[in-house]
Every structure is written in structure tokens, then in C-alpha cells.
Amino acid sequence: MAALNNMIDLKTLTIQKAHEALVRGDFTVRDLCQAYLDEIKKRDSDIHAYLEVYDDVMKQADEAQKKVGKGNPLAGIPIAIKDNMLLEGKIATSASKILTGYVAPYTATAIKKLRDAGAVFIGRTNMDEFAMGSSTENSAYGVTKNPHDLSRVAGGSSGGSAAAVAANLALASLGSDTGGSIRQPASHCGIVGLKPTYGSISRHGLMAMGSSLDIIGPFTKSVSDAEILFNAMKGKDRYDSTTIDTEHGTQTTEHRKVKVIGVPRHFLKGEGIDADVMKAFEASVQKFKDLGYEIKDIELPNIEYSLAVYYVIMPAEVSTNLSRFDGVKYGYHKEGKDLLEDYMLSRGEGFGAEARRRIMLGSYVLSSGYYDAYYNKANAVRELLKNDFEKAFGKVDAIITPTSPAPAFKIGEKVSDPVAMYLEDIFTVTANLVGNPAISIPAGEKEIGGKKLPIGLQILSNHGREDVLFDLGKKFLGEKVK
Ligand code: GLN
């Protein structure tokens, strides 16, 4: 659809703008989907954001067209989904060999809600295997490249979803965030990524990584678009008992206005934070001051333990959740001489190195004799962290930090050094441990070798206060605030 590509600029298109244009009849849902399919054909062989582009996009488009103009902003909006989410009848593999050819028997609640609202699903995106990683290099199906510099990673684990939106191969996409997998790739790809409050969106139909940490969230070009998708997906679900009822995330008149933003300076002093990332962060602090906010230094006394706590609790939950993949019930199967050897061969060959590493770590920290020393202790510190945040949010409305300690790194740079890779998560894992919502928004760039690499700013708020993130994010990016 060359005509469409001339008429609307996919680069600046948002859900809001597309919605208005569809309602006006400037173009049809088919036109819009075709524009993205054309772009995918042109560019995705270089970027590899998608593992599969669905063959029924036009059929979905025709269905969606009927919903246009009936008041739902998502009618006809083309969305990509991460490969760990179920859409009935479609393959979903979590980018793992062990789920080769697995076909989803039902649809995830979050996706069903979007489908009912009229969204069109273009395809499933690449990711780190079972959402474990920070670069999408742990996929069994090849690495996703950063659209801003093809020699660099898009981030992870939802690297495909982030790259798809950044490269205009989808208008929005879904990711999952267990320790930063929405915010970090959003930061590296220069777009908006929201990790909602734990339990605000159903995990039913999302393949579990760390069940007490996982949450689905959107990648978008604007904060307003993230808000639209969050509102469409949130809410209590009978299929996920951890979901919470939500008036949630919506600004009500009793909510006091956002005035004070906290900065945990003590946590930003360590080495390992790129100088340009710090410069961009200071500029963001200044920008909020200029917008009239009070900036306050805050103490989060236990935050320095977050990463260690995360890398005990998360593998414990991973080892439990991945035990269901035994080569019998799902996907990849390798025949041995007896059942035990079946398991060993299927799991040994079906899982990649990082999945195996975490299963071993998790089994270790949960084993009798080590359980108290590691797992219980980590849970105790997790409680301390929750107290720290509760106290902090008694004094401030939001907390800001960089999203990642540095811009996107080179493909291959950290694959053989798991600890360096884990340090990517230093600013993001805490929100998952305490359950609070957090958003990454674009806040600067660093130029390396003629390429402009995006830098992200992370904003955290109190439980159920996504409205604070939307409010601050929109003001920061100069978007209209209702
Ligand atoms: N990068 C983190 C990890 O490897 C976060 C993963 C995620 O959020 N799914 O565990």
C-alpha cells in the first residue's frame, strides 16, 4: 500500500491517531494492516522481530472493520504479541526448542480482551527462551537486532516486541516483565514500555516464568497509547486468582495531584552506570523541576540487595514452573531407554543453556539444607524492600531512575558472562519484587559510531497508581493530558 505509506507516516502513527483516521474513513483496517505487512516484508529479514507473521491477518482485519466507529479505540489496531502468550490455534513456543510446534489450546485473557475490543494480531515476536535474558540472544530461533543499530541487541527478554514497534513493524505490541523484560528493551529501542502493578492484568495464558513476579504489559510509541492498552487489559479474572479488581490506575478526584518525585541518589553512585546515561538522567531531573515538580532525595536502604534477591527467588520459581516441560506433555520429545532417560534427553536437548542454568540454580536454592540459607532469606529481604517502598511512597508520589545502566550493547558482548548480563536488570527487578508499577519512556540518546542509541528513564509509582506514571510520562514527553 504505497499510497497509504505516503498518506500516513508509520513512524509517527499512534493508536490514537490511527483510531481517529479509521473512524474518519481515511483508510480501512485492511489498508493499515497491509502497510505493516509491507514494512515487515521490507525490513524484518534484517531485524528478526517476528518468529511468525500470521496468515489470517486480513481475515482478522475484516472482522475488526465491523467494530470501527463503535467507540473502541482499539478497533482495527495491529498488535504483535510475545511468543509466550497463547492465542488459540496459533503456535506459541516461548522461543524454546522444547515447545517446537506447540499449538495454543485457548486464548490468554489479556489477548482475548484486546481481540474483543477489535485489535488485529499480526504475529508472534522473538524473545529470550522462556523470558530469561536481557538481549533476546537466548532465543532458540536467532537474535533480534536493534533497529537503531543492527550490530546491537534490542534488549530482552521481549526484544522482538520492542523492536517491532520501534521499527514500525507493528503499531503496538505486548511483552511480559518478570524483572525488566518490558522496560529494558523499551529503553534500548527508544519507545514506551509499561510494567503494570502485579495482578492488575491476568496471567492466564501467559507461560509462567516467575509466578510471583510476572506481568503482561504494552510497548507503544506514546504514553497515551500505553494507557489505552492497559485499560483494555486490566481487571479481575476468574482464571487467575492473583488478579485484583481495579478502579485501579484511573485518576479519581480524591487522588492528590502528583507533586513530589523521589530520587534514590545513594543507589546511583556506583560504578557501572554509563556517564551519558547519568547525564541524560540529570537532564530528566531538571526537566521535571522545570515542569514544576519538587525533587526529593530518598533512601531505599535495601535496594542494593534487589538483584541478589531476584536471582534467588526468580530461578526458584523458574525451576518449579519449567518442570512441567518433560518431553511427554508438550512439544519436543526424545526417546530414551526408559522414562528417566526420556526426561533427561528431552529436557537436556529441548532447553537452552540459560534455561538449564536457572533450573539448576533454582533447584539448588530450594533444596533442603539450602532452602533456609537462600530462598527464605531472599523472601525476608523482599519483605524489607516492600517496607522501604511503602515508606518512600509516604513521602513522594513517584520515584525515578535510569531504566538501564547503559544503552544497548553489541550482539555477543555479554553472552558468555551471565553476571554482566544480570547486571542489566539492576534498576528494573525491584519493581517486580515489590509489585509496583513502572514505566520506561525515551529520555535521551548516546551517539556511538554515528548511530544514535536511545536512553530510557524509569518512573515508579505506588501500587495501583498507573495514573501517576501516565500523568508524569505524558507531561515529560509533551503529550496532551486530559
Ligand atoms: N532480564 C531479566 C532476567 O533475565 C528479566 C527477565 C524478564 O523480565 N522476563 O531474568
Side-chain angles (χ1 to χ4, degrees):
M1 264 285 128
L4 179 66
N5 286 341
N6 291 338
M7 197 163 61
I8 46 162
D9 182 5
L10 291 185
K11 272 197 202 111
T12 57
L13 193 63
T14 59
I15 293 179
Q16 260 182 334
K17 281 193 210 164
H19 165 64
E20 285 160 19
L22 283 167
V23 171
R24 275 198 307 269
D26 294 356
F27 47 77
T28 64
V29 178
R30 262 183 180 256
D31 294 337
L32 183 61
C33 291
Q34 191 59 51
Y36 282 103
L37 293 177
D38 289 348
E39 210 56 28
I40 292 170
K41 208 175 229 161
K42 251 195 279 167
R43 299 191 59 207
D44 201 43
S45 50
D46 289 336
I47 294 169
H48 191 40
Y50 285 92
L51 291 179
E52 180 186 357
V53 176
Y54 297 138
D55 58 10
D56 62 348
V57 172
M58 285 303 153
K59 204 171 131 226
Q60 292 184 57
D62 291 339
E63 280 305 306
Q65 186 69 47
K66 296 179 198 154
K67 295 186 178 165
V68 171
K70 304 222 162 103
N72 204 312
L74 288 169
I77 300 300
I79 290 174
I81 59 174
K82 190 174 177 178
D83 191 33
N84 60 353
M85 296 169 189
L86 304 190
L87 178 54
E88 190 179 343
K90 305 281 191 213
I91 287 178
T93 71
S94 248
S96 178
K97 189 173 160 190
I98 210 159
L99 280 176
T100 309
Y102 175 71
V103 176
Y106 62 91
T107 298
T109 300
I111 291 181
K112 186 175 176 309
K113 286 187 172 191
L114 296 185
R115 195 185 51 200
D116 292 348
V120 174
F121 299 102
I122 314 188
R124 58 188 171 95
T125 57
N126 198 16
M127 56 183 282
D128 285 300
E129 183 179 9
F130 285 107
M132 294 184 259
S134 301
S135 65
T136 314
E137 290 167 292
N138 295 335
S139 166
Y141 304 103
V143 59
T144 296
K145 316 224 171 85
N146 192 311
H148 297 269
D149 177 350
L150 296 178
S151 69
R152 292 178 187 269
V153 301
S157 63
S158 319
S161 289
V165 173
N168 313 310
L169 310 180
L171 187 38
S173 64
L174 298 186
S176 63
D177 194 309
T178 305
S181 280
I182 293 175
R183 289 157 287 158
Q184 186 255 18
S187 170
H188 286 351
C189 289
I191 56 172
V192 173
L194 171 72
K195 171 229 159 325
T197 304
Y198 180 75
S200 61
I201 293 176
S202 170
R203 288 177 292 116
H204 176 66
L206 169 70
M207 292 184 202
M209 176 182 164
S211 307
S212 75
L213 306 155
D214 297 341
I215 184 84
I216 291 176
F219 287 99
T220 52
K221 289 265 175 71
S222 74
V223 173
S224 311
D225 282 3
E227 185 175 16
I228 292 172
L229 281 167
F230 171 70
N231 284 332
M233 291 189 287
K234 72 182 181 183
K236 193 149 182 66
D237 178 18
R238 60 196 278 257
Y239 296 116
D240 176 359
S241 60
T242 62
T243 46
I244 44 179
D245 230 337
T246 46
E247 251 325 295
H248 188 118
T250 331
Q251 180 88 49
T252 63
T253 36
E254 300 101 72
H255 280 157
R256 75 198 151 107
K257 279 192 72 187
V258 183
K259 291 193 198 96
V260 191
I261 299 173
V263 179
R265 285 269 165 215
H266 65 100
F267 193 47
L268 305 177
K269 289 214 173 93
E271 283 165 41
I273 309 179
D274 182 280
D276 289 290
V277 167
M278 258 337 267
K279 235 197 295 42
F281 180 72
E282 297 302 352
S284 302
V285 171
Q286 189 55 47
K287 190 164 177 179
F288 277 123
K289 276 189 195 156
D290 296 344
L291 286 166
Y293 295 99
E294 183 191 335
I295 305 288
K296 209 179 202 164
D297 245 17
I298 52 160
E299 295 282 327
L300 296 165
N302 297 289
I303 196 167
E304 61 185 288
Y305 305 118
S306 288
L307 200 63
V309 169
Y310 173 77
Y311 276 95
V312 171
I313 291 175
M314 174 274 297
E317 295 186 10
V318 161
S319 69
T320 312
N321 277 324
L322 296 195
S323 62
R324 64 172 64 95
F325 302 106
D326 54 9
V328 177
K329 293 194 218 55
Y330 314 90
Y332 185 79
H333 174 74
K334 192 72 183 273
E335 196 80 31
K337 63 177 184 313
D338 54 23
L339 187 61
L340 183 64
E341 204 179 89
D342 276 13
Y343 289 157
M344 283 161 61
L345 288 174
S346 302
R347 285 169 67 83
E349 290 174 18
F351 285 130
E354 186 62 25
R356 293 201 305 274
R357 183 178 296 127
R358 295 196 193 192
I359 289 168
M360 284 197 291
L361 267 174
S363 308
Y364 178 78
V365 300
L366 290 177
S367 58
S368 68
Y370 293 106
Y371 189 95
D372 281 336
Y374 294 107
Y375 185 69
N376 269 348
K377 211 170 255 169
N379 269 320
V381 182
R382 188 180 190 177
E383 289 307 311
L384 295 179
L385 277 163
K386 285 184 188 161
N387 294 340
D388 288 354
F389 273 79
E390 235 172 74
K391 266 194 211 135
F393 283 119
K395 296 187 198 122
V396 300
D397 303 298
I399 297 173
I400 54 173
T401 72
T403 307
S404 299
F409 48 91
K410 289 266 186 194
I411 291 169
E413 194 179 313
K414 299 189 182 185
V415 264
S416 51
D417 186 350
V419 177
M421 192 71 93
Y422 297 168
L423 280 168
E424 274 288 298
D425 309 324
I426 185 115
F427 296 124
T428 48
V429 294
T430 320
N432 302 76
L433 290 170
V434 299
N436 290 41
I439 197 167
S440 179
I441 58 175
E445 291 170 335
K446 173 175 180 144
E447 196 169 324
I448 306 180
K451 302 271 161 66
K452 289 194 171 127
L453 306 178
I455 292 173
L457 173 75
Q458 176 176 235
I459 314 174
L460 297 102
S461 63
N462 212 346
H463 275 257
R465 295 302 306 273
E466 277 80 358
D467 60 290
V468 171
L469 306 181
F470 299 144
D471 192 48
L472 285 174
K474 285 181 206 170
K475 286 193 182 128
F476 186 90
L477 295 178
E479 290 177 31
K480 248 203 320 234
V481 181
K482 269 179 262 156

